[in-house]
């Protein structure tokens, strides 16, 4: 038996791919796998509810175009990453079940990758936690998603799932990220953590997600750097008129978001350590507004009639009436919003949300 939890992003929206900082947490939703080794060098995975078998022959550990954006690519990519790092892989038969909805913004793909990595580590590498510790497993999982699956994601999702708990992660050196556990008990904060499913689908939005790191890195390239972390913020503002002409306004706005969000995450961690939950909630709301107006990952470009995420956030703001906090969650554009709702108002909040969006669209979470 193997398992890996899904994650929720608390702060640091789209900063990880430019070597920024995030605060994230593993939650009480997970993927569970029942596994048996085989001697065929083939991985077969049946995922409950999907009605198909991933059948991956490990004799070829190169990206397969036909598998792009499918779970088979994550299995092959994870195996390739382990071999690349000097580990061993082999066949197994596996049945998985998960209580997180695919495309919900809770990163079911990261949990799947991390779980597959744990299986390879456990079955073929003597559960070697020195060579393939939780951080290394996360990095191999990201490699699988970037190179084999074809999604240019950062490392936050995989790291939060693999490490577990509430964590602050600094990606300044992406090959050696700094991971710090944050000791705070959300259960006694007086607020309920939940995600609200907008009903929108992530399908066909890969280009929207890819544009965010590309545009941020275009600003960095103006200063001769690869990522915004390495750009001097003061220099950015001194040359902002020139940067606009070269990269366009949206890239500049997204760079402003990166610099502000990086500071905001550090302030969130300080607020939690100081026990100042009101200050923390203020920062969550500020992050949400910045994601909407600067990062612009709430409504896909050109969408007019369909604005599921914008409507969902606006609905939550109306129901909260100035209390708690709400913001876009995860990659954005589709999936979910994240909200902190006063405990004594949560039952009514959930009822009202589901009356509008549908039953089962408000999910209470706990950090594990």
């Amino acid at each position: 038996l193997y398992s890996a939890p899904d994650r929720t992003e608390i702060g640091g929206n789209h900063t990880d791919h430019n070597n920024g900082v995030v605060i994230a947490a593993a939650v009480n939703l997970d993927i569970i796998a029942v596994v048996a080794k085989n001697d065929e060098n083939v991985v077969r995975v049946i995922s409950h509810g999907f009605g198909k078998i991933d059948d991956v022959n490990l004799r070829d550990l190169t990206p397969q175009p036909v598998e792009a954006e499918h779970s088979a690519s994550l299995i092959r990519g994870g195996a390739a990453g382990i071999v690349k790092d000097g580990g061993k892989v082999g066949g197994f038969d596996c049945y998985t079940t998960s209580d997180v909805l695919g495309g919900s913004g809770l990163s079911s793909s990261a949990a799947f990758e991390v779980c597959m990595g744990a299986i390879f580590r456990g079955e073929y590498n003597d559960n070697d936690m020195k060579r393939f510790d939780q951080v290394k497993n996360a990095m191999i999982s990201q490699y699988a998603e970037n190179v084999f699956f074809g999604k240019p994601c950062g490392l936050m999702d995989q790291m939060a799932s693999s490490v577990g708990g509430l964590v602050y992660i600094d990606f300044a050196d992406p090959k050696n990220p700094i991971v710090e556990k944050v000791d705070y008990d959300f259960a006694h904060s007086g607020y309920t953590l939940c995600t609200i499913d907008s009903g929108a689908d992530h399908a066909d939005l890969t280009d929207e997600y890819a544009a965010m790191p590309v545009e941020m890195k275009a600003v960095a390239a103006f200063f001769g750097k690869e990522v915004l972390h390495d750009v001097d913020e003061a220099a950015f503002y001194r040359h902002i008129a020139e940067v606009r002409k070269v990269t366009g306004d949206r890239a500049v706005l997204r760079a402003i978001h990166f610099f502000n969000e990086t500071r905001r995450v550090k302030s969130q961690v300080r607020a939690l350590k100081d026990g100042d939950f009101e200050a923390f909630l203020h920062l969550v709301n500020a992050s949400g507004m910045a994601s909407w107006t600067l990062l612009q990952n709430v409504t896909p470009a050109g969408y007019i009639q369909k604005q599921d995420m914008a409507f969902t956030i606006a609905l939550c703001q109306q129901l909260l009436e100035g209390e708690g906090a709400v913001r876009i969650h995860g990659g954005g554009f589709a999936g979910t919003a994240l909200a902190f709702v006063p405990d004594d108002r949560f039952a009514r909040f959930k009822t009202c949300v589901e009356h509008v969006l549908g039953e089962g669209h408000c999910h209470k979470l706990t950090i594990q």
Side-chain angles (χ1 to χ4, degrees), residues 39 42 51 93 130-131 154 164 169 185 201 214 260 302 328 332 334 342 346:
D39 58 5
V42 173
D93 297 297
K130 290 185 178 179
R131 172 179 284 181
I169 311 170
D185 184 5
D201 192 351
V214 166
N260 292 346
I328 190 72
F346 179 71

Side-chain angles (χ1 to χ4, degrees), residues 10 186 268 271-272 276-285 340:
I10 306 297
F186 277 92
Q268 283 180 294
L272 291 176
D276 189 347
F277 204 72
E278 288 303 315
F280 168 79
L281 290 176
H282 173 77
L283 292 162
V284 173
N285 278 320
F340 290 89

Side-chain angles (χ1 to χ4, degrees), residues 254-268:
R254 286 173 165 173
I256 293 172
H257 167 81
F258 174 86
F259 291 122
N260 292 346
E261 187 79 346
T262 297
R263 276 192 298 276
R264 204 158 24 234
V265 167
K266 294 175 182 177
S267 296
Q268 283 180 294

